[in-house]
């Protein structure tokens, strides 16, 4: 799914109006219908809705939504933060339609900022059912300045209210892309954001993204040609994208058809990292796996993962050399490796050998950070999977998440490598300058060993012949989906990396079953 910028969103709206064709008013009515359906499915018709409408199209959506909710028997009040005589079309039309409905009180907020107490004061917490939902339609994604005056005061009142808050398209006060000059205290903290057609970039980044507790992407029927033809550097990976990547197995295939993976992992006290990654390699379908590890880790890995072959280093405690022989389809290195200089020398030799497919994680990235000339040696499309601190050690610090995203993109393009920056909505940057955000995963996956499992998943897909970009994007998705399935049973707080590895078969089965059902 493409993610478009604010300016592109306006162009896509206009393209839809001109080429569907559909009037601006009808498109707003369509958006309001989708909003109304989503809101009523979630909260029902027994709550009291307070709708805050601003001076633009976002406010027009709120006005149209208020009318539609009222027509279906919902209790509604509207706070208009704009001069009614200066509303643009079709927001003005929806305002006139709304004020003709006697059952929907509309209060126009003046520059003095005075608002009736029953909107955000103690009375706003009560209704016939004791539930109130505030619908935020104050500003849309096109806002390019900080809210001020009455609008800012209303945002603060919304945030201090105990009512449930739903934002239309984007929380008011948040810019669609770059919030470096913004102030988070002037942004609505939304319990639910119903965003149109695709998520907005700022929702997927740390910091401002945390102000969107839950995001639902609502299809409002924008023109498919515009969505297809308009170029974007940003993508949101969904189930649909993965279905076109993961392939079922052929009936007469054998293990040799699914690749031979080499995993270089482990050091004294960190054999578990090798175990987690090894299990993930095999659970995701690699035909053969060899683990190169220190001799002290041998009994742990062979006992925990008997399906894996082992190559033993000359050192008992660390990796100091590469396996003597082996024609491997893909190589992964890093889990539990440690940062001993001898291990760094072995990593240098590995990269100098120009392996066909390579994924590097954890201490392998830390070793590169200590000797940055290795970056120039990385084979094209090498996959690196750092978390934020590991990335900053390698690429340098960033003052904010948006700046870090731009640096990640530039880094991938400069060195022709793929970077998986781990976190909520892990971002996969490719050498062509595109960035793919993930849609699966949960906070329970922020646990020791989770990254080792991800390394194993990506290594497995590489070994099976998936192109590096597909292996990285699909690997992150499957890893997150496995974590989501595990969290359903274990809960987020109790989730462990072994649970993620254990649910990889379920994640793959779900993906393959859906894919096969769609091809029948």
């Amino acid at each position: 799914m493409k993610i478009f910028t604010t300016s592109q969103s306006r162009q896509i709206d206009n393209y839809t109006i001109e080429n569907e064709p559909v009037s601006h008013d009808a498109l707003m009515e369509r958006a309001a219908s989708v909003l109304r359906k989503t809101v009523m499915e979630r909260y029902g018709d027994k709550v009291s809705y307070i709708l805050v409408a601003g001076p633009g199209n976002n406010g027009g959506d709120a006005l149209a939504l208020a009318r539609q909710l009222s027509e279906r028997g919902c209790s509604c009040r509207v706070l208009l933060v704009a001069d009614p005589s200066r509303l643009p079309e079709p927001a003005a039309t929806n305002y006139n339609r709304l004020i003709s409905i006697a059952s929907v009180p509309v209060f126009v907020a003046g520059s003095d900022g005075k608002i009736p107490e029953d909107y955000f004061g103690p009375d706003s917490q009560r209704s016939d059912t004791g539930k109130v939902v505030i619908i935020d339609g104050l500003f849309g994604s096109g806002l390019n300045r900080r809210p001020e005056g009455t609008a800012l005061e209303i945002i603060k009142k919304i945030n201090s209210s105990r009512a449930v808050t739903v934002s239309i398209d984007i929380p008011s006060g948040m810019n669609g892309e770059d919030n470096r000059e913004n102030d988070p205290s002037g942004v609505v903290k939304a319990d639910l954001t119903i965003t149109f057609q695709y998520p907005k970039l700022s929702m997927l980044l740390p910091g401002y993204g945390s102000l969107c507790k839950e995001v639902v992407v609502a299809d409002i029927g924008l023109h498919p040609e515009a969505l297809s033809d308009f170029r974007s550097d940003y993508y949101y990976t969904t189930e649909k994208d993965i279905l076109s990547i993961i392939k079922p197995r052929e009936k007469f295939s054998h293990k040799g058809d699914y690749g031979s993976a080499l995993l270089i992992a482990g050091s004294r006290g960190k054999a578990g990292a090798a175990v987690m990654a090894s299990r993930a390699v095999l659970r995701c379908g690699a035909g053969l796996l060899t683990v190169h590890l220190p001799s002290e880790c041998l009994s742990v890995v062979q006992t925990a993962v008997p399906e894996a072959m082992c190559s033993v280093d000359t050192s008992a405690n660390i990796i100091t050399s590469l396996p003597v022989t082996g024609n491997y389809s893909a190589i992964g290195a890093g889990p539990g490796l440690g940062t001993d200089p001898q291990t760094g020398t072995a990593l240098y030799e590995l990269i100098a050998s120009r392996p066909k497919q390579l994924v590097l994680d954890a201490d392998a990235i830390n070793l590169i950070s200590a000797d940055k000339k290795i970056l120039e040696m990385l084979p094209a499309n090498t996959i690196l999977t750092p978390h934020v601190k590991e990335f900053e050690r390698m690429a340098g610090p960033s003052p904010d998440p948006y700046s870090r995203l731009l640096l990640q993109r530039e880094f991938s393009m400069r060195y022709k490598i793929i970077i998986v920056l781990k976190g909520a909505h892990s971002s996969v940057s490719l050498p062509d300058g595109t960035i793919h955000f993930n849609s699966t995963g949960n906070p329970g996956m922020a646990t020791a060993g989770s990254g080792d499992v991800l390394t194993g998943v990506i290594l497995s897909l590489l070994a099976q012949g998936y192109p590096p970009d597909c292996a990285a994007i699909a690997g992150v998705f499957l890893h997150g989906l496995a974590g989501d399935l595990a969290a359903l049973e274990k809960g987020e707080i109790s989730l462990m990396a072994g649970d993620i590895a254990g649910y990889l078969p379920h994640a793959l089965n779900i993906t393959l079953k859906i894919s096969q059902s769609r091809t029948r």
Side-chain angles (χ1 to χ4, degrees):
M1 176 188 293
K2 292 179 182 177
I3 301 170
F4 295 103
T5 64
T6 298
S7 61
Q8 286 178 311
S9 296
R10 286 193 290 268
Q11 295 174 45
I12 291 170
D13 285 350
N14 292 334
Y15 186 97
T16 301
I17 291 166
E18 294 169 7
N19 292 276
E20 185 170 332
V22 61
S23 69
H24 198 166
D25 180 35
L27 184 60
M28 184 170 285
E29 192 72 8
R30 184 190 298 173
S33 296
V34 173
L35 289 168
R36 183 255 310 156
K37 180 180 179 182
T38 305
V39 165
M40 291 191 68
E41 285 178 350
R42 182 68 64 97
Y43 305 108
D45 59 1
K46 302 302 182 185
V47 303
S48 178
Y49 291 100
I50 298 174
L51 295 99
V52 182
N57 288 338
N58 202 250
D61 293 333
L63 294 170
L65 173 60
R67 172 174 46 79
Q68 291 192 17
L69 287 171
S70 177
E71 289 170 350
R72 283 156 182 81
C74 298
S75 171
C76 296
R77 284 170 287 164
V78 174
L79 176 64
L80 179 61
V81 192
D83 181 346
S85 66
R86 300 180 65 180
L87 286 174
E89 289 294 345
T93 296
N94 278 293
Y95 171 74
N96 291 326
R97 289 171 181 163
L98 185 64
I99 60 175
S100 68
I101 302 174
S103 61
V104 181
V106 179
F107 181 85
V108 179
S111 59
D112 58 7
K114 292 183 178 180
I115 302 164
E117 188 73 8
D118 62 346
Y119 275 85
F120 303 115
D123 291 341
S124 73
Q125 316 306 324
R126 299 194 297 271
S127 68
D128 292 341
T129 62
K131 295 181 180 179
V132 173
V133 175
I134 297 174
I135 307 291
D136 159 37
L138 188 55
F139 298 118
S141 59
L143 187 70
N144 56 12
R145 56 180 173 79
R146 295 183 182 185
E148 56 187 21
T150 299
L152 178 59
E153 290 304 310
I154 289 172
I155 288 173
K156 291 180 177 179
K157 288 179 182 293
I158 292 172
N159 288 341
S160 63
S161 169
R162 291 175 293 165
V164 172
T165 302
V166 179
S167 287
I168 296 174
D169 199 32
I170 191 170
S172 290
M174 184 186 297
N175 299 334
E177 293 83 44
D178 185 358
N179 283 277
R180 285 178 288 188
E181 302 300 322
N182 209 347
D183 181 359
S185 67
V187 178
V188 168
K189 298 176 181 177
D191 297 293
L192 173 67
T193 301
I194 305 172
T195 192
F196 296 145
Q197 211 70 46
Y198 38 81
K200 308 307 176 277
L201 182 64
S202 55
M203 297 176 181
L204 305 176
L205 300 177
Y208 281 83
S210 63
L211 300 175
C212 308
K213 187 177 294 184
E214 180 185 357
V215 177
V216 171
V217 179
D219 186 348
I220 60 171
L222 296 179
H223 203 291
E225 286 185 8
L227 298 175
S228 172
D229 294 347
F230 277 50
R231 185 185 180 279
S232 177
D233 288 332
Y234 301 106
Y235 294 81
Y236 187 60
T237 304
T238 64
E239 181 184 87
K240 181 179 179 181
D241 301 307
I242 301 305
L243 297 182
S244 64
I245 295 177
I246 302 298
K247 306 299 182 186
R249 296 206 158 185
E250 296 293 334
K251 180 178 180 179
F252 292 100
S253 59
H254 56 83
K255 64 184 179 184
D257 294 326
Y258 301 108
S260 176
L262 171 64
L263 174 66
I264 303 173
S267 60
R268 185 172 190 178
K270 297 179 181 178
V275 170
M276 293 293 103
S278 297
R279 285 177 173 165
V281 172
L282 293 168
R283 285 297 188 189
C284 281
L288 295 162
L289 170 64
T290 300
V291 187
H292 184 67
L293 36 64
S295 60
E296 190 176 87
C297 299
L298 177 62
S299 61
V300 175
V301 174
Q302 285 209 310
T303 301
V305 194
E307 298 88 351
M309 297 176 287
C310 291
S311 164
V312 182
D313 197 275
T314 55
S315 169
N317 300 322
I318 60 172
I319 296 293
T320 61
S321 61
L322 302 179
V324 177
T325 58
N327 184 21
Y328 301 105
S329 310
I331 299 174
L337 211 57
T339 56
D340 187 279
Q342 293 181 80
T343 305
T345 300
L347 178 66
Y348 184 93
E349 292 173 355
L350 169 66
I351 293 170
S353 71
R354 310 293 294 179
K356 292 179 289 187
Q357 307 281 17
L358 181 63
V359 55
L360 302 174
D361 179 38
D363 284 329
I365 296 173
N366 291 329
L367 287 165
I368 290 174
S369 300
D371 185 6
K372 291 187 173 61
K373 68 176 180 290
I374 298 178
L375 282 167
E376 302 285 354
M377 300 169 52
L378 292 173
N381 291 309
T382 294
I383 301 172
L384 275 63
T385 62
H387 56 57
V388 169
K389 290 299 182 183
E390 289 167 344
F391 177 72
E392 290 191 339
R393 289 187 202 113
M394 178 175 62
S398 299
D400 59 83
Y402 186 74
S403 297
R404 186 186 304 121
L405 182 73
L406 298 180
L407 178 59
Q408 178 188 353
R409 180 174 182 266
E410 189 272 333
F411 217 71
S412 282
M413 295 174 70
R414 187 200 314 174
Y415 293 106
K416 302 292 188 290
I417 57 177
I418 297 171
I419 299 175
V420 177
L421 187 57
K422 295 181 288 194
H425 302 296
S426 295
S427 53
V428 180
S429 54
L430 305 182
D432 65 2
T434 60
I435 298 182
H436 300 250
F437 292 90
N438 191 41
S439 62
T440 58
N442 62 82
M445 299 175 71
T447 185
S450 178
D452 302 323
V453 175
L454 176 61
T455 300
V457 174
I458 295 174
L459 174 58
S460 183
L461 296 177
L462 284 175
Q464 292 172 69
Y466 289 93
D469 58 342
C470 292
I473 293 167
V476 170
F477 182 92
L478 291 170
H479 178 255
L481 178 56
D484 289 340
L485 294 171
L488 289 175
E489 180 179 341
K490 309 288 185 180
E492 292 182 358
I493 294 175
S494 300
L495 198 66
M496 296 194 302
D499 301 324
I500 302 171
Y503 273 86
L504 284 170
H506 303 278
L508 281 162
N509 283 340
I510 288 173
T511 303
L512 288 170
K513 284 179 181 177
I514 295 174
S515 177
Q516 290 169 341
S517 68
R518 291 187 179 182
T519 58
R520 288 184 183 131

